[in-house]
């Protein structure tokens, strides 16, 4: 069955970077787009960006432009989300989520989610 | 930036019907999906493309849309339905989530 397993919790200092991994099993990583969504404590879900199926094209939310990098290692069936210049407001649970295939961009949805990775930014 | 608006909380008595709304500008021209997030867990899609249910989601959960307001309806609400619910739509290839609604089952 499809599984997305993320790396463990991280504690970072302000100004540092964090790299979270998302290992896919039960399907071929490059066959589906993979998104990253975060949730600050008690807050709404917030979309960050995605890496397309089939190639390494990415799109990022304007909010994270310049700080966010999403990559993929097909040999390891693993996607990565790296966020730099961390600040306390980046403290959140970060999720990877697979985009359902076979639909247009406007009609698609997230059919599988990772378990989440808590990133704490604190001095 | 595009915004989706949900009520922060909805309460429903056990066995009754709960309705959660989601409104946004020109939402009538967009597909809406809904995610259920139980405490400490990852979100799970319960409705996609306004009113379609993924396999495994009970028939008592349904979605609809009228004009610029989408509604998630849970009939015969059970204790297990207590969760946060988020609507989501796409705007310029960007996923936008509503603020979430906490459903409390009394």
């Amino acid at each position: 069955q499809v599984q997305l397993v993320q790396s463990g919790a991280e504690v970072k200092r302000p100004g540092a970077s964090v790299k979270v991994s998302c290992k896919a099993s039960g399907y071929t990583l490059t066959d589906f787009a993979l998104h990253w969504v975060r949730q600050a404590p008690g807050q709404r879900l917030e979309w960050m960006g995605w890496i397309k199926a089939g190639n390494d094209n990415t799109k990022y939310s304007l909010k994270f432009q310049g700080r966010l990098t999403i990559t993929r290692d097909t040999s390891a069936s693993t996607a990565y989300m790296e966020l730099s210049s961390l600040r306390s407001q980046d403290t959140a649970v970060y999720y990877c989520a697979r985009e359902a295939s076979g639909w247009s961009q406007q009609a698609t949805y997230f059919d599988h989610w990772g378990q989440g990775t808590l990133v704490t930014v604190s001095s | 930036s595009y915004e989706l608006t949900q009520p922060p909380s909805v309460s429903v008595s056990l066995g009754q019907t709960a309705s959660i709304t989601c409104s946004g500008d020109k939402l009538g021209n967009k597909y809406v999906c809904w995610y259920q997030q139980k405490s400490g867990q990852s979100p799970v899609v319960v409705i996609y493309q306004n009113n379609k249910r993924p396999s495994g989601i009970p028939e008592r959960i349904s979605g609809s849309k009228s004009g610029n307001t989408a509604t998630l309806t849970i009939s015969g609400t059970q204790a297990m339905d207590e969760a946060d619910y988020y609507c989501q739509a796409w705007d310029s290839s960007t996923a936008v989530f509503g603020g979430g609604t906490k459903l409390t089952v009394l």
Side-chain angles (χ1 to χ4, degrees):
Chain A
Q1 75 281 22
V2 172
Q3 276 195 304
L4 297 172
V5 179
Q6 300 182 220
S7 49
E10 303 259 14
V11 179
K12 296 292 183 181
R13 300 289 191 198
S17 297
V18 68
K19 191 170 186 177
V20 178
S21 67
C22 172
K23 184 171 177 58
S25 61
Y27 77 99
T28 301
L29 183 66
T30 50
D31 286 349
F32 293 78
L34 200 289
H35 296 248
W36 289 88
V37 176
R38 78 177 186 180
Q39 187 172 36
Q43 301 300 309
R44 72 173 68 191
L45 298 167
E46 181 178 31
W47 180 81
M48 300 179 70
W50 64 306
I51 186 164
K52 287 189 175 185
N55 57 45
D56 287 340
N57 288 354
T58 54
K59 180 180 172 69
Y60 304 132
S61 166
L62 289 177
K63 178 174 180 177
F64 301 103
Q65 288 276 5
R67 289 206 300 144
L68 176 63
T69 305
I70 297 175
T71 56
R72 184 169 52 202
D73 180 346
T74 55
S75 64
S77 295
T78 301
Y80 302 91
M81 183 283 299
E82 184 170 18
L83 189 62
S84 62
S85 303
L86 290 169
R87 35 227 191 209
S88 59
Q89 303 95 307
D90 292 318
T91 293
V93 175
Y94 289 76
Y95 295 99
C96 58
R98 193 184 81 164
E99 180 183 306
S101 72
W103 307 106
S104 68
Q105 177 73 87
Q106 298 302 314
T108 193
Y109 56 98
F110 305 125
D111 63 354
H112 289 89
W113 295 67
Q115 84 277 19
T117 297
L118 174 62
V119 175
T120 303
V121 183
S122 175
S123 54
Chain B
S1 60
Y2 191 74
E3 292 185 359
L4 294 173
T5 301
Q6 298 180 233
S9 62
V10 168
S11 297
V12 61
S13 298
L14 196 64
Q16 298 304 301
T17 296
S19 295
I20 298 172
T21 58
C22 171
S23 60
D25 186 41
K26 298 179 181 175
L27 191 59
N29 298 330
K30 302 179 187 295
Y31 283 111
V32 177
C33 54
W34 291 89
Y35 298 91
Q36 176 193 71
Q37 186 179 35
K38 296 184 178 180
S39 181
Q41 297 184 20
S42 302
V44 173
V45 61
V46 294
I47 293 290
Y48 66 98
Q49 292 172 12
N50 301 329
N51 55 19
K52 295 184 171 68
R53 259 188 319 273
S55 60
I57 301 301
E59 290 185 12
R60 55 197 178 75
I61 295 179
S62 64
S64 62
K65 191 169 64 157
S66 178
N68 291 330
T69 299
T71 302
L72 179 72
T73 302
I74 305 175
S75 306
T77 305
Q78 301 181 8
M80 65 185 294
D81 297 323
E82 188 160 283
D84 293 328
Y85 291 85
Y86 292 90
C87 61
Q88 181 251 309
W90 294 91
D91 182 66
S92 302
S93 298
T94 296
V96 178
F97 291 93
T101 299
K102 182 176 182 59
L103 178 66
T104 300
V105 181
L106 303 172

